[in-house]
Amino acid sequence: MGYKLKKIINKAENVVEEMLHGMALANPALIHSEGLGVISRKEKASKVGVVSGGGSGHEPAHAGYVGKGMLDAAVAGNVFSSPDPERILEGIHQANGGKGILLVLKNYSGDFMNFTMAADLSGMDGIDVEHVIVKDDVAVEDSTYSTGRRGIAGTVLVHKIAGARAEEGGSLLEVKAAAEKAIQNLRSMGMSMSACTIPMIGKPGFVLGEDEMEIGMGIHGEPGINRTKIKSAKEIAKILLDKILDDYEASGIEMKNSEVALLVNGLGATPLMELYILNGEVHAYLAEKGIRIYKSLVGNYMTALEMAGCSLSLLKLDEELKKLLDAPSEVPGFSVSYGAVKTCVK
Amino acid sequence: MGFQLTSKDYAEYIRLAYQKIHENGDYITSLDAATGDGDHWANLDSGFRRLNEMAGDLETMSLFDEFRQIGRTMMSVIGGSSGVLYGSAYLEAAKILEDKETIANRELYQVLSAMLEAIMSRGNAKPGCKTMIDSLYPAVECYKACMAEGVSDTELLERVKQAALDGAENTRNMEAIKGRASYQREKGLGNLDPGAVTMSYQLEILLNYALGKVER
């Protein structure tokens, strides 16, 4: 086919375990349950355990968000494929501090089936398990008929909110309520400029022309809304934000004069330089719309292997969400600065 | 007259199913590239490869333990959606086989029905959603009809096999409602569902194997 697998790996079938092994070596506060795809906090606490996970290939999601103030365990499946119930059960056991477990999952059929099956099984062990489902990708129509809206980068903000609420001693239902509130107020949308290659498959999942981009593409290369010629950072910001803001309006959420957390996420191969340029345009456009950015995050939070592209996520904040977002956390993949960001003047 | 499948027979079926799946890698992956993310065959193949390696152990177990072992192995080795669906199917079917030494006509119907129920319930999906169900469901329906008609085991097995194969073929004209293919613009219309095709392979091999065991 003319494709060469140009990756720093040993054997394609071992990438997930070898990655987690290396990750635990770099982060002494984390432990790796070998062979079970689980990264968890070494220091166990008597609190609600927050567990997330999903297919691999989205690093630092999800293991990079394990630590004080965010996740207690993350469960990794094969690349772009849900972890199985046995692995998820291991994550639940590692995170179990006796106060119940909240599972934070992204809305994909495979994740839903495997996580709910694990929840059923752990119920038999007497562990209280609740789950929330993140579906922030406005590129997909939400529907109860189909699988519906996907979960993408905004999920990281849900990890932060739920983890902070659990860390301050919230009950299982309180932690779940905080996560649900974040999910209700969260919207994301992405775009892609190049494909990615699952190591086990060895060739790209789709082809985008040299001068093309696809608006609304998912983090596994799922088709988006439309393909166009490459546009400027300013135009990309407008396209993604218009769709996000339309969706808030359609859900009856007033955005004018509101405060938001903004996450500018890279999909893996896009340099930070470009993400910062995009961030500037997003600040300018939101200022035009009368939306104040309380917290501005830029980086690779939820990637799609070596895909080039980005996503934007907005989380509309109230006082509770602001406090939870500001709470300290010690994890490899996420840090927040205290206080609100500067207002954009351009 | 009839057929009787022991746990040894079922292990033999697993070996044959692995061969069939393994041989069709490029074809299944090409179907998946059109509608999914291309990993269905690789995952299913690694699950069956493991089962094939375990077949020597499987054949010494009771049918109940054998089905539970197959279920757990599929769940963990195949992973993803297919793993949990096949896993749920085998764990549910195992319940039918508690205290049973063989699978005869009636038990095979119960096993396939239990698998269908488990897959529909875990996947929250119905027939017509362009999934593996679209091969298994018509097979179970055909089985039921054949039992009501009282046809011979040979005819029954032939007809059920055909229903499974036709069912997979009919996914070409369906729109995907569940899973990755549902995000495609054309919802996979015009393409076969790889999950339905691999399900039909397994049913084809199983029913052929049972056909070979019918005492005439």
Side-chain angles (χ1 to χ4, degrees):
Chain A
M1 303 292 273
Y3 296 112
K4 279 269 183 289
L5 192 60
K6 206 170 182 182
K7 290 178 188 283
I8 305 173
I9 63 172
N10 296 309
K11 282 174 89 171
E13 55 265 44
N14 298 339
V15 293
V16 174
E17 279 300 314
E18 292 185 7
M19 160 183 79
L20 297 176
H21 173 70
M23 187 172 179
L25 290 175
N27 297 280
L30 304 182
I31 41 176
H32 171 209
S33 306
E34 273 173 44
L36 286 167
V38 172
I39 290 278
S40 58
R41 280 171 75 171
K42 192 171 276 174
E43 185 193 325
K44 308 291 177 194
S46 169
K47 63 173 203 63
V48 171
V50 183
V51 177
S52 190
S56 293
H58 304 304
E59 295 68 31
H62 298 86
Y65 304 118
V66 175
K68 191 165 189 276
M70 279 182 88
L71 302 178
D72 296 281
V75 190
N78 290 332
V79 176
F80 293 176
S81 181
S82 172
D84 63 84
E86 195 188 341
R87 289 172 171 226
I88 299 165
L89 272 177
E90 167 69 10
I92 289 172
H93 284 288
Q94 289 293 343
N96 186 19
K99 301 283 169 70
I101 297 288
L102 182 70
L103 300 175
V104 179
L105 40 144
K106 302 192 293 313
N107 191 36
Y108 297 97
S109 311
D111 286 343
F112 180 78
M113 291 188 279
N114 283 286
F115 276 85
T116 52
M117 176 125 194
D120 292 351
L121 294 172
S122 57
M124 292 177 207
D125 296 342
I127 304 173
D128 264 351
V129 180
E130 293 281 338
H131 71 263
V132 293
I133 304 175
V134 184
K135 31 170 89 180
D136 53 330
D137 187 353
V138 302
V140 185
E141 199 181 329
D142 202 15
S143 157
T144 48
Y145 173 67
S146 65
T147 306
R149 206 160 254 191
R150 300 179 287 245
I152 55 172
T155 308
V156 176
L157 297 171
V158 180
H159 293 162
K160 179 68 183 78
I161 298 297
R165 191 71 185 89
E167 202 67 51
E168 66 178 28
S171 69
L172 178 55
L173 291 180
E174 286 166 345
V175 175
K176 184 181 179 184
E180 291 283 13
K181 187 199 261 184
I183 291 168
Q184 294 301 322
N185 286 287
L186 181 67
R187 300 289 185 280
S188 302
M189 172 114 164
M191 58 79 71
S192 170
M193 293 188 294
S194 74
C196 59
T197 299
I198 298 176
M200 281 284 277
I201 295 176
K203 58 184 182 197
F206 60 94
V207 179
L208 265 173
E210 282 291 319
D211 58 346
E212 283 181 329
M213 60 179 213
E214 182 154 332
I215 300 290
M217 178 168 275
I219 55 174
H220 312 92
E222 301 97 323
I225 298 172
N226 66 320
R227 258 180 208 202
T228 69
K229 298 285 174 205
I230 290 286
K231 294 182 188 299
S232 69
K234 188 185 176 87
E235 289 169 302
I236 291 169
K238 180 177 174 354
I239 291 169
L240 299 182
L241 286 171
D242 279 345
K243 183 83 179 158
I244 289 172
L245 295 177
D246 284 352
D247 198 82
Y248 275 116
E249 196 179 337
S251 340
I253 298 177
E254 173 67 38
M255 292 304 282
K256 199 166 166 65
N257 300 319
S258 68
E259 285 184 293
V260 297
L262 161 68
L263 182 88
V264 176
N265 175 57
L267 292 180
T270 291
L272 277 170
M273 171 192 269
E274 295 170 29
L275 297 179
Y276 284 124
I277 293 170
L278 180 65
N279 190 49
E281 295 299 342
V282 171
H283 278 243
Y285 194 67
L286 289 178
E288 254 177 56
K289 296 282 176 183
I291 296 167
R292 208 166 79 77
I293 299 170
Y294 176 76
K295 194 73 67 184
S296 186
L297 301 158
V298 180
N300 294 306
Y301 288 91
M302 175 87 65
T303 57
L305 296 169
E306 74 281 26
M307 198 185 280
C310 69
S311 65
L312 300 180
S313 302
L314 297 187
L315 172 63
K316 182 183 173 176
L317 300 170
D318 63 5
E319 291 310 310
E320 185 199 13
L321 293 179
K322 278 204 259 187
K323 187 186 70 162
L324 294 171
L325 194 60
D326 280 337
S329 57
E330 292 164 25
V331 304
F334 191 94
S335 65
V336 283
S337 52
Y338 287 94
V341 299
K342 283 191 303 199
T343 314
C344 176
V345 200
K346 196 168 178 179
Chain B
M1 279 290 292
F3 61 88
Q4 305 267 340
L5 304 179
T6 61
S7 67
K8 191 163 190 296
D9 289 320
Y10 209 84
E12 188 53 30
Y13 148 71
I14 290 286
R15 292 189 181 102
L16 296 168
Y18 169 61
Q19 271 177 26
K20 172 86 180 180
I21 290 164
H22 193 69
E23 278 162 8
N24 284 278
D26 289 347
Y27 173 60
I28 297 299
T29 298
S30 72
L31 293 179
D32 203 13
T35 61
D37 53 12
D39 63 353
H40 174 67
W41 176 82
N43 294 335
L44 193 69
D45 186 62
S46 42
F48 270 89
R49 187 187 320 129
R50 178 75 63 84
L51 289 173
N52 185 56
E53 288 160 9
M54 294 165 57
D57 290 333
L58 290 174
E59 63 183 33
T60 65
M61 296 177 183
S62 68
L63 279 169
F64 175 71
D65 289 337
E66 182 181 35
F67 269 55
R68 282 169 51 103
Q69 187 59 52
I70 294 172
R72 281 198 295 263
T73 305
M74 286 186 157
M75 213 176 267
S76 61
V77 183
I78 300 173
S81 302
S82 299
V84 69
L85 289 170
Y86 276 108
S88 301
Y90 271 94
L91 295 181
E92 197 60 31
K95 293 180 188 164
I96 307 286
L97 298 172
E98 216 165 345
D99 310 322
K100 295 266 174 27
E101 281 175 21
T102 59
I103 300 172
N105 186 327
R106 207 174 101 81
E107 287 80 28
L108 185 57
Y109 173 70
Q110 291 172 328
V111 160
L112 296 178
S113 300
M115 288 180 162
L116 175 64
E117 283 302 314
I119 291 172
M120 296 210 306
S121 143
R122 181 57 65 193
N124 190 23
K126 294 194 281 285
C129 297
K130 200 179 183 87
T131 70
M132 58 168 79
I133 293 170
D134 293 309
S135 174
L136 182 55
Y137 175 80
V140 170
E141 286 295 298
C142 175
Y143 208 132
K144 200 196 296 176
C146 287
M147 289 202 304
E149 283 180 46
V151 302
S152 73
D153 277 11
T154 305
E155 186 181 343
L156 178 147
L157 294 167
E158 287 288 0
R159 277 167 58 175
V160 173
K161 178 176 75 177
Q162 199 52 49
L165 293 170
D166 291 347
E169 186 58 36
N170 288 337
T171 61
R172 193 185 297 281
N173 304 315
M174 292 177 186
E175 288 187 7
I177 290 161
K178 295 280 168 182
R180 293 267 160 82
S182 65
Y183 304 120
Q184 301 277 340
R185 265 181 223 96
E186 308 298 329
K187 309 276 180 201
L189 203 62
N191 292 297
L192 293 176
D193 177 60
V197 173
T198 51
M199 171 66 85
S200 76
Y201 284 173
Q202 293 166 68
L203 290 168
E204 180 188 13
I205 298 291
L206 179 61
L207 295 159
N208 271 341
Y209 188 84
L211 273 166
K213 289 277 161 181
V214 175
E215 294 167 17
R216 286 160 218 272

